[in-house]
Amino acid sequence: MPSPSRSSYQSGLLFLAVTIVGWGLNWPTIKVLLRDWPALFGRGSGGMVAALLLGLVAASRGERLALPGRSIGRLAAASFTNVFAWMGFVTVAMQWMPVADVALLAYTMPLWVCLLEWPIRGVRPTGRRIAALALGFGGVVVLLGTETGGTHGPTWMLGAALALSSAILFAAGTLLLRPVPDISPLVSTTWQVGLACTPMALIGLVTEFDRIGPLTPGGTMAFLYMVLLPMGACYVTWFAALKRLPAGTAAIGMLLVPIVGIVSAILLLGEPLGPREVVAILLTMSGVALAIHRD
């Protein structure tokens, strides 16, 4: 029989694998939902339902959902950087860009953490982190460069700006907003998703009203998948993985999320992937891998 520690590690890897696949498949799933519903309303309404489900899970585990008064401001700020900007900006960008391009730019957040740690926390970058920044941002430059025979269109560039902004804001929030010690990660996630996605859905309802129609069967399946797995069950499996695995192992495992998203978008949606994107992915993911590796 495996020892308890070995068994815990193996179950942690299983939880991590479920999280990676669930979050990775969400990228093409959102593309399917965008065929029926606009970005802010679709993602925001899904997040509201997911927050309710996460709250029910937390309550069933006996976790206290009420927030200490001093925690509300910090959670509200975190909900903007970690959820509103991350989910909202990225989903809007996906209206105009392939999954590969959005995922690559969004997952540069560890590079921005390395870059912003110096001015925010006074942490000077080491040689390895400088190499990580050179590799990672080299990949971004390759992706943002002009394609053979043409240039990126204005909507692609706007999408790229939103995807990069989501990564920068997520990184800034990570450095500036420390976790609230009085509440559990699951309760914190519940409130962040709810606080961010409610205004997101309302903004979408007002600004995207003319594009909101009935969901097709494919859109319904995409909505249910997004709510139940990536925005619901995968947060539970992620926290379960963090309890059983070293933080570095879990962080490196997250590098597979954009890869799963890109590959699944190619297989399920027929999205193209050219040499330029391949080079950009290899450079950027290599830089991110170095950035999240502890000194």
Side-chain angles (χ1 to χ4, degrees), residues 89-272:
F89 290 8
V90 163
T91 306
V92 172
M94 288 178 70
Q95 296 178 120
W96 307 311
M97 302 173 70
V99 167
D101 296 0
V102 181
L104 181 63
L105 294 174
Y107 272 86
T108 59
M109 64 269 203
L111 302 175
W112 294 105
V113 170
C114 288
L115 194 63
L116 295 174
E117 265 192 322
W118 192 354
I120 291 177
R121 293 187 178 177
V123 178
R124 291 179 176 272
T126 62
R128 185 171 68 241
R129 291 202 165 188
I130 291 173
L133 292 170
L135 283 170
F137 289 125
V140 172
V141 169
V142 169
L143 185 68
L144 295 178
T146 59
E147 301 185 46
T148 303
T151 59
H152 293 303
T155 53
W156 190 100
M157 294 303 294
L158 178 58
L162 285 171
L164 281 174
S165 296
S166 72
I168 294 169
L169 286 169
F170 194 102
T174 300
L175 293 171
L176 293 171
L177 302 170
R178 298 185 182 278
V180 180
D182 302 326
I183 60 177
S184 72
L186 182 58
V187 172
S188 176
T189 301
T190 300
W191 277 103
Q192 287 184 51
V193 172
L195 289 172
C197 289
T198 300
M200 191 188 303
L202 292 175
I203 293 170
L205 187 62
V206 173
T207 63
E208 303 168 331
F209 180 78
D210 57 336
R211 291 184 285 150
I212 301 172
L215 288 174
T216 63
T220 301
M221 292 180 64
F223 182 82
L224 291 175
Y225 176 85
M226 179 183 72
V227 169
L228 296 176
L229 285 174
M231 300 181 77
C234 285
Y235 276 110
V236 178
T237 58
W238 171 243
F239 294 133
L242 288 178
K243 283 185 177 181
R244 295 164 174 81
L245 298 174
T249 300
I252 292 173
M254 283 295 99
L255 291 179
L256 294 175
V257 172
I259 303 302
V260 171
I262 291 168
V263 172
S264 59
I266 295 169
L267 296 177
L268 299 176
L269 305 178
E271 290 199 350

Side-chain angles (χ1 to χ4, degrees), residues 16-26 225 230 234 256-257 260-261 264:
L16 181 62
V18 171
T19 306
I20 290 168
V21 174
W23 280 346
L25 290 177
N26 196 43
Y225 176 85
C234 285
L256 294 175
V257 172
V260 171
S264 59

